[in-house]
Amino acid sequence: MASNKEALALVVDIGVGMSQTAPGFDSPLQITSDILQMIVQRKMFQQSKDELALILYGGDETNNDLADENNYQNISVVFSLSPANWHLFEEIQKIKPGNNPADLIDAIVVAADHLRRETEGKRGYVAKRVLLFTNAATPFNDHSLKVILDSLRLQDITVDAIGPSWGQEEEDGDENDRPDSPTQTNGHNEDSASARPTTNGHHHHRNQKKPLTPQQKTGIRIINDIVNTTEGSLFTFREALGMLSIHQSKTVKPTATKYIMQLADIKLHICTYIQVKDNKPGIFRLKKVYARDPKSEIKVDRGRYTKDEHDEEIEKEELTDGFRYGTTFVPINKETLDDMKYQSEKCFSVIGFSDANMMRRSLYLGDTVYEVIAEPTYEEEAQTFTGLVQAMYDTNTVAIVRKCFSERSSPELGFLRPHIAHDHICMYYVKLPFAEDLREFNFDNLDVIKRNLPSAEQLKTVDNLITTMDLSHADRGREEAFQPELISDPYIQRMFQSIAQRAVTPDEPLSLSNTIMEMNDTLIQSIARKSKRTLDTVNEQFILRDTNRRQKIATGEALFGNNDISAKKARLEDNNEEFTTDSTSFEAQAAAKKKAAIKTVGTVTPVEDFKILIEQGSPSLTDVCKQMCTLIFDLINNSHGDSLFEKALQCIQCLREICIDKLEPKIFNDFEVVLKAHSSDIDGRKDFWKKIVDEKISLITSEECIESNVIPIEAKKFLEEETAIQALNNAPINNEQDDEEEDLFDLI
Amino acid sequence: MSLLDQNWGAGGSAEDEAQDENQQGRPITTNRDGTLILIECAPQMFETLANQMKQDSTIDEDDEDAQLTTGFQLVMRACQRFYQSKIISNDKDLSGIILYGTENSLNAFDFKHIYILHELAQPSAERIIQLETLSNKDTFKAKYDELFGSTQATGYSLNEALWTCSNLFSNSPQRLTIKRIFIFTCNDQPHASNLTLERQAKQRAKDLHDVGIQLEVFPILTESITKFDFKKFFQDVLMLSDEDLEIRNNQEPTGRLNELLKLVYSKEHKKRAYCTVPFSLGKSSDGTPLEFSVSVYNMVRPCPKPTKIKLDMKTNLETKIVTKHYLPETAEILMPSDIQYGLDVANRRILFDSDEIKAIKKFGDSGFELLGFKSLSCLLPHHYVKPGHFIYPDEKYVEGSSCLFNALLKKCLEKKMFILCQFTARRNTPPRLVALTAQAEEVNKKIKNDRLASNGFHVHYLPYADDIRTLPKNDTTRAANDEVDLFKNVIRGLKFKYRPDKFENPALQTLWRNIEATALNKGEPDEFIDLTIPSVENQNRKISGYVDELKQMIFPPGYVMGTTKKSAAAKRKAETTSSPSSAKKTKPDEDVDVEAAAKSNLLSKLTVPMLKDYCRDKKLKASGTKKQDFIDVIQSHLGIAQ
């Protein structure tokens, strides 16, 4: 199939006129460069087959096929016609202002000649275009204009021109974006300069409004002439930027899936097209590559192993399909499986019709809205189809349909809703649930509880809020704001932006923007202004009390998350060690993985977990010890009888050893004090404390560890004395530490 | 953490925890229910069943069930069905069976005459097959004698039996949200002669009640025992109020038993929030964020098919996958730190590490952010991208949420507006635009307490510009009025009231039944009637007149609809895919037609809504809302003997 590609010559004026501008404003050349980058990016991101050439005129260099000593000077083909790539992108970034005279007409001739040479004898070009970027400030010679125009027409080359202004009424455009005071601009300019190599982002172009020179006026007249003769168009910079500012992914060519719709004896050829479906651009598909050599893609091996401690690999031939029936494994071989499968033919059968009001939106299932139309080749059937759509439309009914894509797929249930617009007639198909897909949850009527009933005053406030934030006509043109048809997926925008940024400046961190809020800033600001007062009233009238439960969890999560990262790091280091000693052994890796997976002290093997965590050195010693303390309390508190006491004792002993070892006796001593205090006043823990006494697990003394300031006699006394209060007085306790322990108890 | 979480409180806590777990992004631990079935094996259990019980046991009109002559067989069958249904509905739930009054004993305490047949565990095919032999008329006696001894003992203690149950619950390795004991007995006063035993049993029942174990009694009536008086003993065991007692004693003893006997192929969904997130209205002037809290539920989601697993042929045991990343050249195994993510744009490989990929997807914290309100008419039919949610206020995180939520709900309903929000479901998922449409409570006017819809907001995902495709316009000429009128007749002829619970998923139901048949060595899977296949015959009967007119009006004589022109090969293909095979597929007795089903004695295979609809159509009044009630009234209407 011949591709419908376009040959496009980007002809750029880099002469003196293009770089002249007042301070604080972007020069026409800078804006041109941005537009060019956007064009090239879009072509690359859309994986377009269009071919581009870049021709500069007005610089020092001369490099073109037509040039001789006197003619076609200072015109340079820097990128020959070929599909857009990063090389072209970089060439555009490299563009420097020149200060040589060069002829606009000559440049067009070179471009036309280049297009002719490069496309001659090749197929698949549907159009040839010259895109001219100039502000027409450089003088040129228009003697041979007539001949050249004829030649362009003959070759079917269109010329479009893009410049700061074409001397028409569009000056008044949108004032909001325009800098009116230079002070405003200064700060911004820096900003946009640094953002320059990135992408379509959001830097505002400062395009200086300046009266046209006589030369420009002449130039514009001639350019107008050329554009009109070749049936091209004129664009201002503003228009071009507007058109290009949104990234677009490759457009998907609509493809029809054909069915035969059956309704009693009526059988009609129909086509279904995807109308709405979550767009996941194929270009975003990520490959796993080797970090040290990004060229090599990583392969993945998914081996089957026995699910026991032996971890034996099982060959493919030794595997069979099966299902779980309760705890029973039911092996089923492939043939039986195929027999068991529900058999269905491809179909699109109307089961019946139902009231359209019954089709609650909340029932919709699936991920696609299809458009259904009659296959046009069957005229009579198409006519029948149209009659059906009209009748459904008039009676406000929908058709319930059984649809099956192929013999191998499961049938689904869906419905057809008629859609008639002034120039379009079709039906929409959306999937519906089966009985099994419904979850019938019941929720109490909110009005049953008195305090859930809003007062008349409160209702009025909410009424006001709805009125002030009504988007139905909030757009600039009093149109509906936030129309889905006009809001770009922020993720797609951001991903493209990140790709562009990473491609051009691989070492810089990504700047992540493109939220819905940012992209619709003006609108959101204006709504916020309008609704501000009402929101204050809402705040006054409705009492919303945060129970702080979420905060607690959130911080806990943050803590957990942090641990996670540090543990991950530790794990990586850990694994790398393992790696060097025994790089291929799967068992070693599995062991390492097991070891690495421990992030917290668990209840199953607390002593082992604790030791591993201490060894890993992360989380910090204090954190791990804290975890251990919490766990010991858990064990004691949750022990039925003395069943968990043994484990708790082991943990305490282990904690003690580590604290001595790591010269942190305070942690243990503080813990034991708290333990004693709480053991003495709550039932059931007395016997645990007795065990501690029996086992003679005392405070860590100065003899055992030089960091301790507990002398052995004190330690002995601590164990023997009945009440904890005295001990508290005796024991050297730092208040801060104590607080921590208190928190610990709060947790429990 | 697991020890901390232990919460033996009321049933409500399970839901709360599920939400919290979601909140923290941790894997959700399943909520399991535990059911122990406690069966008395008094001699009366082996007497012929009382007539009223027998009659009811034939509801399934499964021939097999008619052969259940004794109470014991009936109970065994009920257990078997209970297991079978559990496997489909929630195979993580645990159940067990304990017999008391047996000659042999098997339990942890050496209690006499108490036999643990099945410990508390997930159901399995082996257990079901065993129960089958214990209910089958040819095998049950021998099997019973073999396992439990040939005589029945009377010197048992219900207290000990209940203690055994409670012990099984407390030794359960899994946390259980609901703990139930079903007692099957034919004896309404088991310890009539021994007051101590009776007192002990009542005390034990109270203790169980206090720790949240629910008790339920299923009386079995036989030839000699024709009445079961709850007042004698079980009122105290079940903690029935006098009112409840009244209801119990007047109830048909078989009602709940029949429910157990029914084999249900449907998955159970635990009411669990998908997430609980803040709903932000913006900020007030002093900067305080205006936030309330909502729980997000999934009301419609595709019911998952049983997942195919890979088994080791030698052992028939499960296997696991181990994923290894390696370099193709050197076969070197790589660690996560060695992996980067790349994509190719215009021949250049662009690299990100996994944290960056995450960061690109992260736009903000999870929750709803108010953008504004719109008229419902702005919501167009094709504005849909994926299944939505339902939100209901949550007071746990922000007190006062319900009031503000309720005010929004009332006003949106009144003004016919929807709320436009930006919704981030999880922290690392990009936001989407959602339309929140208000849902008022809808209650069935005829049946009280039958809530058709709960109040709250539906969450509908809206497409982005990128998701909406531009399709070619097709402007076909409009049909003439008389053609449209004919079609209106066609529509009228085939109009029915769509209900979402009307159609079962044929592929899923077939698979469930087939797995069951294979697991239990059944010859044929349970029959399933596919209601999604329309009966062309029936349709024709109703509308063929209009269709014929249409054909004459639009098509040239001899035109065959639905045949593909082009090549002969394509034509042949079209013929095979169209009518004849589908007609064959829809056997007459599989017809949606209720009457046909009634004649072939297949009414019980139809769904309740279908039967209900039929009754409504024919203005038949069923004596109750149970399936059997509908079947009865239809059968008598058609004059078919039961």
Side-chain angles (χ1 to χ4, degrees):
Chain A
M1 208 171 77
S3 55
N4 302 324
K5 57 187 171 184
E6 200 178 45
L8 188 62
L10 307 166
V11 178
V12 184
D13 178 358
I14 58 171
V16 186
M18 287 289 279
S19 40
Q20 282 169 345
T21 186
F25 291 94
D26 288 346
S27 74
L29 189 59
Q30 273 170 336
I31 300 171
T32 299
S33 164
D34 284 346
I35 295 174
L36 288 170
Q37 289 179 35
M38 290 180 194
I39 292 173
V40 174
Q41 270 181 24
R42 177 171 287 196
K43 295 285 178 203
M44 288 193 289
F45 291 161
Q46 293 193 328
Q47 293 156 290
S48 163
K49 291 201 173 66
D50 292 352
E51 295 182 10
L52 281 74
L54 179 63
I55 298 159
L56 307 177
Y57 71 96
D60 300 336
E61 275 172 53
T62 304
N63 170 26
N64 67 72
D65 292 332
L66 300 176
D68 57 36
E69 304 227 331
N70 299 313
N71 295 311
Y72 300 104
Q73 286 298 303
N74 301 329
I75 299 171
S76 171
V77 179
V78 291
F79 186 85
S80 304
L81 195 70
S82 54
N85 61 26
W86 294 102
H87 178 64
L88 170 60
F89 191 81
E90 282 154 357
E91 283 297 335
I92 291 167
Q93 291 188 309
K94 275 194 260 170
I95 293 176
K96 294 241 161 48
N99 47 12
N100 284 300
D103 194 306
L104 164 87
I105 306 284
D106 282 355
I108 293 177
V109 172
V110 169
D113 173 65
H114 184 74
L115 288 179
R116 185 185 54 79
R117 278 174 211 262
E118 294 295 323
T119 57
E120 212 158 52
K122 292 184 206 159
R123 287 161 48 140
Y125 298 96
V126 287
K128 281 176 269 183
R129 221 148 46 105
V130 170
L131 218 53
L132 180 66
F133 293 84
T134 183
N135 62 350
T138 324
F140 56 87
N141 182 339
D142 62 350
H143 292 320
S144 45
L145 186 62
K146 179 100 187 39
V147 186
I148 290 157
L149 283 178
D150 286 345
S151 151
L152 285 173
R153 242 195 323 236
L154 202 68
Q155 289 186 59
D156 230 354
I157 292 175
T158 317
V159 179
D160 296 330
I162 299 165
S165 121
W166 300 109
Q168 293 135 351
E169 68 284 358
E170 59 211 84
E171 318 264 315
D172 50 325
D174 196 23
E175 294 301 322
N176 280 355
D177 279 354
R178 253 170 225 225
D180 291 320
S181 72
T183 43
Q184 222 184 340
T185 2
N186 278 339
H188 227 292
N189 193 39
E190 261 176 41
D191 199 36
S192 66
S194 66
R196 178 128 347 256
T198 60
T199 166
N200 311 21
H202 298 276
H203 64 255
H204 294 261
H205 288 271
R206 302 300 161 193
N207 182 8
Q208 191 191 10
K209 260 201 289 181
K210 239 173 31 174
L212 297 173
T213 62
Q215 170 60 39
Q216 277 179 306
K217 282 183 183 153
T218 328
I220 287 169
R221 196 172 35 80
I222 306 260
I223 291 168
N224 250 315
D225 204 8
I226 300 172
V227 168
N228 286 338
T229 321
T230 60
E231 292 172 353
S233 315
L234 287 175
F235 299 99
T236 60
F237 281 160
R238 174 176 310 281
E239 285 168 338
L241 287 166
M243 277 186 271
L244 293 162
S245 66
I246 298 288
H247 287 292
Q248 278 177 354
S249 57
K250 193 178 176 183
T251 42
V252 189
K253 219 177 113 205
T255 39
T257 309
K258 294 180 180 177
Y259 291 94
I260 294 192
M261 179 166 111
Q262 179 156 20
L263 165 60
D265 260 353
I266 305 171
K267 294 191 196 109
L268 308 173
H269 284 82
I270 53 162
C271 300
T272 65
Y273 290 95
I274 295 174
Q275 173 72 74
V276 183
K277 188 177 183 153
D278 191 7
N279 185 358
K280 296 192 179 88
I283 200 168
F284 293 172
R285 216 162 288 143
L286 296 163
K287 296 175 186 134
K288 283 184 176 154
V289 298
Y290 186 36
R292 268 168 256 179
D293 173 19
K295 275 194 207 75
S296 44
E297 277 171 44
I298 292 171
K299 287 259 162 62
V300 179
D301 169 69
R302 288 179 218 277
R304 283 273 169 186
Y305 292 82
T306 55
K307 213 175 177 180
D308 53 22
E309 61 275 17
H310 301 303
D311 271 334
E312 280 172 61
E313 183 158 9
I314 313 163
E315 296 301 319
K316 270 216 175 72
E317 300 75 48
E318 291 174 339
L319 288 168
T320 174
D321 287 321
F323 288 96
R324 207 178 274 129
Y325 183 74
T327 53
T328 310
F329 298 118
V330 186
I332 291 171
N333 64 35
K334 208 146 185 78
E335 295 77 55
T336 328
L337 200 68
D338 288 339
D339 285 349
M340 273 169 59
K341 234 183 131 194
Y342 179 83
Q343 306 289 326
S344 172
E345 302 94 22
K346 178 168 182 161
C347 67
F348 201 104
S349 323
V350 176
I351 299 169
F353 296 91
S354 184
D355 200 340
N357 301 331
M358 296 299 288
M359 289 302 126
R360 294 167 188 237
R361 188 174 277 269
S362 54
L363 286 173
Y364 292 10
L365 212 60
D367 57 2
T368 318
V369 179
Y370 292 94
E371 180 191 280
V372 180
I373 57 164
E375 210 180 316
T377 30
Y378 301 85
E379 276 169 46
E380 296 89 352
E381 292 179 18
Q383 195 188 339
T384 316
F385 183 84
T386 313
L388 177 63
V389 179
Q390 285 172 250
M392 283 167 67
Y393 195 86
D394 291 350
T395 52
N396 193 30
T397 46
V398 296
I400 310 293
V401 171
R402 170 194 163 103
K403 169 174 164 261
C404 189
F405 174 68
S406 76
E407 280 161 50
R408 313 189 64 191
S409 51
S410 303
E412 63 178 56
L413 201 68
F415 78 101
L416 289 169
R417 184 190 291 277
H419 176 73
I420 297 179
H422 67 283
D423 56 349
H424 197 55
I425 186 160
C426 70
M427 296 214 246
Y428 288 126
Y429 172 90
V430 182
K431 200 174 151 184
L432 285 174
F434 287 114
E436 296 89 343
D437 307 333
L438 302 169
R439 307 179 181 189
E440 282 169 19
F441 299 155
N442 260 300
F443 298 92
D444 290 335
N445 191 326
L446 287 164
D447 293 343
V448 170
I449 298 172
K450 221 175 170 185
R451 75 184 139 83
N452 294 345
L453 269 176
S455 66
E457 201 188 16
Q458 284 175 321
L459 282 172
K460 202 172 155 249
T461 307
V462 170
D463 195 298
N464 277 339
L465 183 71
I466 296 178
T467 314
T468 50
M469 293 186 83
D470 189 347
L471 300 169
S472 307
H473 308 284
D475 201 2
R476 276 185 204 158
R478 307 287 298 151
E479 290 286 309
E480 179 192 343
F482 277 115
Q483 269 188 60
E485 283 79 0
L486 300 175
I487 304 288
S488 304
D489 185 340
Y491 169 64
I492 292 181
Q493 294 305 312
R494 188 190 264 187
M495 191 70 194
F496 274 130
Q497 192 193 25
S498 302
I499 292 172
Q501 205 190 331
R502 182 49 50 91
V504 180
T505 51
D507 299 324
E508 269 177 41
L510 301 171
S511 70
L512 302 169
S513 57
N514 298 69
T515 62
I516 293 183
M517 306 300 178
E518 283 163 2
M519 294 195 300
N520 301 280
D521 192 44
T522 339
L523 179 63
I524 293 205
Q525 295 292 338
S526 96
I527 295 162
R529 268 195 303 278
K530 269 194 271 176
S531 61
K532 207 169 138 196
R533 195 165 302 154
T534 326
L535 278 176
D536 283 343
T537 324
V538 171
N539 191 28
E540 280 160 30
Q541 290 181 350
F542 288 90
I543 297 154
L544 295 170
R545 201 181 70 81
D546 195 330
T547 57
N548 282 324
R549 268 187 78 165
R550 199 187 302 277
Q551 259 72 28
K552 225 175 219 168
I553 290 163
T555 47
E557 200 176 35
L559 200 83
F560 199 77
N562 283 339
N563 283 351
D564 210 25
I565 288 165
S566 46
K568 189 172 119 194
K569 223 176 253 163
R571 171 175 52 199
L572 292 180
E573 283 157 15
D574 215 46
N575 278 344
N576 283 344
E577 270 173 35
E578 294 283 347
F579 207 38
T580 43
T581 49
D582 190 358
S583 60
T584 44
S585 144
F586 170 65
E587 285 90 308
Q589 274 175 46
K593 219 182 247 168
K594 238 177 239 164
K595 198 169 154 189
I598 296 163
K599 289 169 215 145
T600 49
V601 183
T603 47
V604 186
T605 54
V607 174
E608 285 80 354
D609 292 359
F610 181 63
K611 283 184 177 159
I612 288 168
L613 284 169
I614 292 290
E615 204 183 305
Q616 280 177 4
S618 83
S620 74
L621 180 75
T622 337
D623 281 348
V624 181
C625 288
K626 212 165 152 189
Q627 279 184 30
M628 190 65 161
C629 297
T630 318
L631 184 103
I632 292 167
F633 280 119
D634 285 353
L635 289 173
I636 302 167
N637 291 341
N638 289 291
S639 176
H640 294 282
D642 59 358
S643 57
L644 293 175
F645 282 4
E646 193 51 40
K647 205 177 218 174
L649 276 179
Q650 284 170 8
C651 291
I652 290 177
Q653 254 149 356
C654 176
L655 178 68
R656 194 168 188 274
E657 280 163 30
I658 296 286
C659 285
I660 295 173
D661 210 39
K662 300 278 177 194
L663 302 180
E664 289 283 356
K666 229 176 110 38
I667 296 177
F668 180 81
N669 288 351
D670 291 351
F671 163 74
E672 194 168 7
V673 169
V674 179
L675 180 70
K676 185 177 177 184
H678 285 260
S679 296
S680 61
D681 56 7
I682 295 167
D683 285 333
R685 293 189 197 143
K686 266 183 194 145
D687 43 334
F688 184 76
W689 181 249
K690 205 166 158 283
K691 277 201 187 295
I692 299 266
V693 177
D694 290 347
E695 296 281 329
K696 295 201 173 62
I697 304 173
S698 69
L699 295 170
I700 298 171
T701 65
S702 50
E703 276 180 8
E704 288 171 288
C705 176
I706 45 161
E707 290 290 317
S708 170
N709 45 10
V710 178
I711 53 169
I713 303 164
E714 255 178 341
K716 207 173 163 223
K717 221 162 122 196
F718 177 71
L719 279 185
E720 283 162 1
E721 265 169 11
E722 269 292 309
T723 52
I725 298 107
Q726 284 166 10
L728 275 169
N729 293 336
N730 288 349
I733 292 172
N734 171 316
N735 273 336
E736 201 185 330
Q737 205 84 9
D738 198 33
D739 285 343
E740 240 175 69
E741 293 293 347
E742 285 303 327
D743 286 344
L744 214 106
F745 274 98
D746 284 344
L747 263 171
I748 298 161
Chain B
M1 205 56 198
S2 64
L3 282 169
L4 279 179
D5 270 354
Q6 274 192 13
N7 182 348
W8 304 103
S13 64
E15 188 199 326
D16 298 356
E17 261 156 36
Q19 292 174 351
D20 290 356
E21 269 151 7
N22 269 336
Q23 201 58 42
Q24 297 189 22
R26 272 193 262 143
I28 300 156
T29 52
T30 30
N31 285 333
R32 294 167 193 255
D33 293 351
T35 311
L36 283 174
I37 301 175
L38 189 57
I39 304 161
E40 188 194 21
C41 291
Q44 292 91 335
M45 286 293 276
F46 298 89
E47 286 177 4
T48 311
L49 280 165
N51 276 334
Q52 63 202 96
M53 301 226 53
K54 253 199 277 183
Q55 232 176 31
D56 278 290
S57 70
T58 57
I59 51 149
D60 240 68
E61 9 4 285
D62 216 308
D63 292 337
E64 284 172 53
D65 281 12
Q67 298 172 0
L68 305 171
T69 49
T70 68
F72 183 78
Q73 284 172 283
L74 187 67
V75 173
M76 282 298 135
R77 179 57 51 87
C79 294
Q80 182 195 335
R81 293 276 155 78
F82 179 75
Y83 277 175
Q84 278 175 270
S85 299
K86 269 287 174 210
I87 282 179
I88 306 286
S89 71
N90 217 322
D91 69 349
K92 295 280 180 291
D93 285 352
L94 308 184
S95 17
I97 298 178
I98 298 135
L99 273 52
Y100 65 100
T102 52
E103 185 185 339
N104 299 346
S105 312
L106 180 68
N107 60 68
F109 305 99
D110 287 330
F111 290 141
K112 288 273 180 294
H113 312 302
I114 292 174
Y115 193 102
I116 301 175
L117 176 61
H118 292 157
E119 296 270 355
L120 200 57
Q122 287 169 247
S124 68
E126 292 78 27
R127 286 186 169 192
I128 293 168
I129 292 168
Q130 188 188 38
L131 293 178
E132 177 98 53
T133 56
L134 279 168
S135 65
N136 185 296
K137 75 168 175 6
D138 300 324
T139 53
F140 89 94
K141 194 70 198 130
K143 189 77 187 170
Y144 181 91
D145 293 352
E146 179 201 328
L147 284 171
F148 318 118
S150 51
T151 57
Q152 282 82 42
T154 44
Y156 58 83
S157 152
L158 188 58
N159 167 37
E160 287 172 351
L162 290 174
W163 174 237
T164 309
C165 291
S166 134
N167 186 55
L168 285 180
F169 277 132
S170 51
N171 287 340
S172 159
Q174 266 94 23
R175 266 192 65 203
L176 298 171
T177 348
I178 295 177
K179 283 173 269 181
R180 295 182 298 189
I181 300 174
F182 291 164
I183 304 172
F184 287 88
T185 179
C186 48
N187 206 337
D188 57 7
Q189 199 176 11
H191 297 306
S193 55
N194 189 333
L195 276 177
T196 323
L197 281 180
E198 187 172 296
R199 207 183 49 245
Q200 280 176 349
K202 283 183 182 174
Q203 181 58 41
R204 176 68 56 201
K206 190 179 172 300
D207 291 349
L208 294 180
H209 189 83
D210 289 346
V211 294
I213 297 176
Q214 304 161 15
L215 285 169
E216 191 56 77
V217 171
F218 295 84
I220 303 294
L221 302 182
T222 68
E223 276 178 337
S224 64
I225 298 170
T226 51
K227 204 175 153 19
F228 194 93
D229 187 358
F230 279 86
K231 194 173 172 51
K232 280 187 187 161
F233 172 72
F234 281 101
Q235 180 182 14
D236 292 341
V237 169
L238 300 181
M239 316 266 161
L240 297 177
S241 66
D242 287 342
E243 253 171 50
D244 289 340
L245 176 74
E246 193 68 18
I247 298 168
R248 252 345 137 87
N249 270 340
N250 292 324
Q251 231 170 26
E252 279 292 307
T254 49
R256 276 164 306 134
L257 182 63
N258 284 340
E259 245 167 71
L260 280 184
L261 276 166
K262 216 163 42 185
L263 180 49
V264 195
Y265 294 96
S266 82
K267 196 139 196 91
E268 188 184 294
H269 301 286
K270 301 249 153 106
K271 181 177 171 183
R272 176 160 43 204
Y274 167 68
C275 56
T276 299
V277 293
F279 189 121
S280 159
L281 298 177
K283 278 193 172 115
S284 68
S285 324
D286 57 355
T288 16
L290 263 170
E291 267 182 13
F292 61 98
S293 177
V294 291
S295 287
V296 185
Y297 296 87
N298 292 338
M299 304 292 262
V300 181
R301 282 297 178 279
C303 181
K305 277 194 185 169
T307 39
K308 211 161 68 177
I309 49 174
K310 290 277 182 196
L311 299 175
D312 184 348
M313 252 184 212
K314 284 172 288 187
T315 56
N316 273 348
L317 286 176
E318 231 184 335
T319 57
K320 65 179 175 200
I321 289 188
V322 176
T323 309
K324 282 186 261 183
H325 296 281
Y326 66 94
L327 275 178
E329 295 93 45
T330 58
E332 196 181 344
I333 305 288
L334 299 172
M335 290 288 110
S337 61
D338 297 325
I339 299 172
Q340 267 197 318
Y341 295 86
L343 47 82
D344 298 338
V345 178
N347 296 325
R348 183 174 293 187
R349 183 155 287 175
I350 289 141
L351 297 172
F352 298 103
D353 62 36
S354 59
D355 287 343
E356 284 172 324
I357 295 292
K358 257 189 228 150
I360 292 172
K361 285 192 175 153
K362 193 192 154 159
F363 282 77
D365 287 333
S366 54
F368 291 89
E369 274 175 74
L370 176 69
L371 295 172
F373 299 83
K374 277 192 197 182
S375 154
L376 279 176
S377 60
C378 295
L379 204 53
L380 302 180
H382 66 276
H383 285 163
Y384 170 84
V385 270
K386 56 179 178 174
H389 308 285
F390 184 81
I391 55 171
Y392 191 77
D394 151 75
E395 289 281 314
K396 222 163 23 349
Y397 290 114
V398 180
E399 284 170 15
S401 295
S402 302
C403 184
L404 181 49
F405 184 95
N406 202 8
L408 282 167
L409 186 69
K410 285 181 191 306
K411 277 297 164 186
C412 283
L413 278 169
E414 182 192 308
K415 299 172 81 99
K416 297 199 167 51
M417 301 283 272
F418 70 84
I419 309 179
L420 183 75
C421 280
Q422 167 182 296
F423 175 48
T424 308
R426 302 258 192 265
R427 275 190 307 160
N428 289 332
T429 50
R432 288 214 75 109
L433 292 180
V434 290
L436 310 184
T437 57
Q439 171 70 58
E441 183 174 77
E442 286 170 22
V443 184
N444 193 333
K445 280 177 201 115
K446 285 166 215 150
I447 310 158
K448 245 191 162 181
N449 293 331
D450 182 10
R451 197 182 273 144
L452 298 174
S454 304
N455 55 357
F457 280 97
H458 292 292
V459 181
H460 309 291
Y461 284 99
L462 297 175
Y464 284 118
D466 314 66
D467 306 330
I468 303 172
R469 304 198 187 174
T470 319
L471 298 175
K473 294 265 178 259
N474 84 315
D475 196 16
T476 38
T477 41
R478 301 294 143 99
N481 280 341
D482 46 349
E483 289 166 20
V484 175
D485 286 342
L486 273 176
F487 265 115
K488 283 182 187 167
N489 288 329
V490 168
I491 291 168
R492 214 164 295 133
L494 296 181
K495 202 161 170 185
F496 72 109
K497 201 171 174 193
Y498 166 79
R499 289 167 53 118
D501 57 358
K502 208 162 197 159
F503 301 95
E504 288 182 305
N505 184 345
L508 183 61
Q509 292 287 343
T510 311
L511 185 58
W512 275 341
R513 284 163 165 77
N514 276 319
I515 294 171
E516 184 188 69
T518 316
L520 303 180
N521 301 320
K522 285 205 273 185
E524 278 294 309
D526 237 39
E527 207 176 339
F528 167 70
I529 299 174
D530 186 351
L531 297 181
T532 64
I533 301 177
S535 154
V536 174
E537 258 172 72
N538 273 356
Q539 291 185 334
N540 274 336
R541 209 179 308 141
K542 286 172 188 152
I543 59 161
S544 62
Y546 306 121
V547 172
D548 289 344
E549 257 185 85
L550 270 169
K551 279 184 189 164
Q552 281 177 6
M553 203 181 281
I554 299 172
F555 294 96
Y559 185 94
V560 186
M561 278 191 273
T563 41
T564 309
K565 293 175 192 170
K566 288 152 209 164
S567 67
K571 202 169 185 177
R572 226 178 295 128
K573 203 176 157 200
E575 267 163 24
T576 51
T577 49
S578 61
S579 58
S581 44
S582 68
K584 213 193 313 160
K585 186 88 183 142
T586 336
K587 278 182 265 158
D589 63 344
E590 278 180 355
D591 210 321
V592 188
D593 203 331
V594 173
E595 287 170 24
K599 280 178 193 127
S600 348
N601 226 2
L602 284 170
L603 277 183
S604 64
K605 301 287 178 199
L606 302 179
T607 61
V608 174
M610 284 178 57
L611 298 171
K612 234 189 216 169
D613 285 355
Y614 180 84
C615 290
R616 205 173 296 136
D617 282 354
K618 303 279 172 202
K619 302 212 165 51
L620 304 176
K621 272 227 167 70
S623 55
T625 53
K626 289 254 152 34
K627 189 172 192 177
Q628 188 58 37
D629 301 327
F630 292 114
I631 293 176
D632 288 346
V633 72
I634 293 170
Q635 282 177 336
S636 65
H637 168 70
L638 296 171
I640 296 166
Q642 290 170 6

